[in-house]
Amino acid sequence: MIAIIISGAIALVLSIFGTPLFIKALERRGYGQFIRDDGPTTHATKRGTPTMGGVAIILAVLAAYFLTHLVLWTSPSVSVLLVLFLAVGLGIVGFLDDYLKISQQDSTGLRPRYKLLGQFLVATAFAVMALLFPDENGLTPASLHISFVRDVPWLDLAFLGTVVGFLLFAIWANFLVAAWSNGVNLTDGLDGLASGATIIFTAAYLIISFWQWRQVCNVDLDAGGLVHCYDARDPLDTAVLCAAIIGACVGFLWWNTSPAKIFMGDTGSLALGGAIAGLTIISRTEIVGAVIGGLFVIISLSVIIQVASFKLTGKRVFRMAPLQHHFELKGWNEVTIVVRFWIVAGILAGIGLGIFYLDALPRLTS
């Protein structure tokens, strides 16, 4: 428990005091946000706001996590190291995208095929390594099952053998990484929206990870034996990482709230999306994670629906996609949209946590 508190506190302090220093450094170099001409007209005032703030988030998370282990003289877990690899790897892809947008003063940035290639390489490397490194109980960071609130036995990706299972898991992991990283990226369109939604999601996963640690399958919880246990490899250390992400995002949100002094950019949105994908995989809650992170899912679906509708019928369902811009064009104030979307994110996270808890309730009460 102390590790969770230390990690969150260090990340918060580093982020809230480090971000303004990063803002000044970006301003000196003229690294400001380029605003698309086809976006909402109200966004014109955001032009030139420092971007690539995701660097501050990533550094705060890394420093907090490793300093916590240094202070407590404990070893980092393989599961969390893999999630950090995924987040940092995608953050680098996002950084290249942000840098090209700034240097070329164009919204194109990294070409889509190169961006997808970068995501694919990082996600595939993560997927392969996540099926290695078993602990003393034979648990690896990920498994060859698709998971709901735990691995679903009949959703076995290795039904045709281990080799096919590895291949299918790599495809599944790539889908999750692409979905979550692009979901956070699409959500990052209003001041504070993505960072606030990430805080809500990660807080839910801190609770899940701590709960899993308290009921890990190799621990006898009472004289009667095991209750509804979970086959997560490193749940307590996952909670430590969640605390670091929360602290870093809260500190960043102090400067990212409207009117934002800095944007996280693709550096931050892809990194946080990667972290979210990694958390769902190593906690083996991939499907219920879509409920907990339902706001990201809804915003992503709004883009898919808009594009599909326009291509099939020539008509738009929304005034503009992603969904938050639809409400902007309806006249909603930016802060109103952000707060209401946070409320939606909180409700969906609560529903997801309820589903997770209800799965354990029958055995807890038996």
Side-chain angles (χ1 to χ4, degrees):
M1 186 67 179
I2 188 65
I4 296 172
I5 296 172
I6 292 174
S7 179
I10 292 175
L12 174 61
V13 171
L14 290 176
S15 181
I16 202 166
F17 291 108
T19 300
L21 299 178
F22 190 59
I23 292 172
K24 291 179 181 178
L26 292 172
E27 288 176 337
R28 284 196 298 268
R29 290 165 175 78
Y31 287 0
Q33 178 71 34
F34 181 85
I35 303 298
R36 293 171 53 179
D37 294 330
D38 58 349
T41 56
T42 54
H43 287 206
T45 58
K46 301 175 185 287
R47 188 182 301 273
T49 302
T51 187
M52 295 195 295
V55 172
I57 297 174
I58 294 170
L59 291 178
V61 170
L62 291 174
Y65 175 74
F66 287 111
L67 282 174
T68 298
H69 281 286
L70 184 62
V71 168
L72 298 178
W73 206 245
T74 54
S75 300
S77 69
V78 172
S79 298
V80 171
L81 289 177
L82 287 175
V83 175
L84 290 174
F85 165 80
L86 181 59
V88 173
L90 292 181
I92 292 172
V93 175
F95 179 86
L96 293 174
D97 189 43
D98 286 334
Y99 181 78
L100 288 174
K101 289 176 183 176
I102 294 168
S103 61
Q104 298 173 358
Q105 282 298 292
D106 183 86
S107 62
T108 304
L110 196 63
R111 292 185 179 182
R113 63 174 176 269
Y114 295 133
K115 195 172 183 178
L116 289 173
L117 176 62
Q119 290 176 311
F120 169 77
L121 292 175
V122 175
T124 301
F126 166 82
V128 171
M129 291 188 289
L131 293 174
L132 306 176
F133 307 107
D135 64 6
E136 63 275 10
N137 299 301
L139 286 175
T140 53
S143 76
L144 291 175
H145 289 80
I146 293 176
S147 58
F148 181 54
V149 297
R150 65 184 73 249
D151 287 343
V152 180
W154 54 272
L155 291 178
D156 185 3
L157 298 175
F159 66 98
L160 290 177
T162 303
V163 174
V164 174
F166 265 74
L167 177 61
L168 291 177
F169 176 74
I171 295 171
W172 173 238
N174 266 276
F175 168 75
L176 291 174
V177 170
W180 283 115
S181 59
N182 289 298
V184 178
N185 185 252
L186 291 170
T187 303
D188 184 34
L190 299 180
D191 296 351
L193 179 57
S195 48
T198 300
I199 291 167
I200 293 168
F201 179 94
T202 315
Y205 265 82
L206 191 156
I207 295 171
I208 286 174
S209 299
F210 189 77
W211 180 270
Q212 289 178 329
W213 172 66
R214 295 290 294 174
Q215 301 190 62
V216 68
C217 286
N218 63 337
V219 175
D220 190 2
L221 294 178
D222 55 35
L226 293 173
V227 292
H228 210 185
C229 63
Y230 298 90
D231 280 326
R233 187 188 189 280
D234 304 295
L236 181 59
D237 204 38
T238 302
V240 173
L241 173 63
C242 288
I245 295 173
I246 293 168
C249 286
V250 169
F252 181 78
L253 182 59
W254 181 271
W255 304 100
N256 181 233
T257 192
S258 183
K261 303 297 183 183
I262 188 171
F263 300 136
M264 69 170 64
D266 282 16
T267 308
S269 61
L270 293 187
L272 291 175
I276 287 173
L279 288 173
T280 65
I281 291 171
I282 67 171
S283 62
R284 307 192 183 191
T285 56
E286 295 151 357
I287 295 177
V288 79
V291 179
I292 295 172
L295 178 66
F296 300 119
V297 176
I298 291 170
I299 288 175
S300 298
L301 287 175
S302 72
V303 175
I304 294 171
I305 292 169
Q306 183 85 324
V307 172
S309 175
F310 187 75
K311 286 188 174 181
L312 293 174
T313 68
K315 297 180 180 179
R316 292 180 172 87
V317 177
F318 307 104
R319 295 187 180 185
M320 183 178 287
L323 187 61
Q324 61 268 33
H325 299 319
H326 167 79
F327 290 105
E328 275 192 290
L329 295 186
K330 287 190 68 175
W332 287 24
N333 179 272
E334 180 175 5
V335 175
T336 300
I337 298 170
V338 170
V339 173
R340 287 178 177 173
F341 274 42
W342 283 350
I343 292 171
V344 172
I347 292 171
L348 291 170
I351 292 172
L353 282 174
I355 294 171
F356 179 83
Y357 179 74
L358 286 174
D359 174 76
L361 191 59
R363 296 191 187 185
L364 288 172
T365 56
S366 61

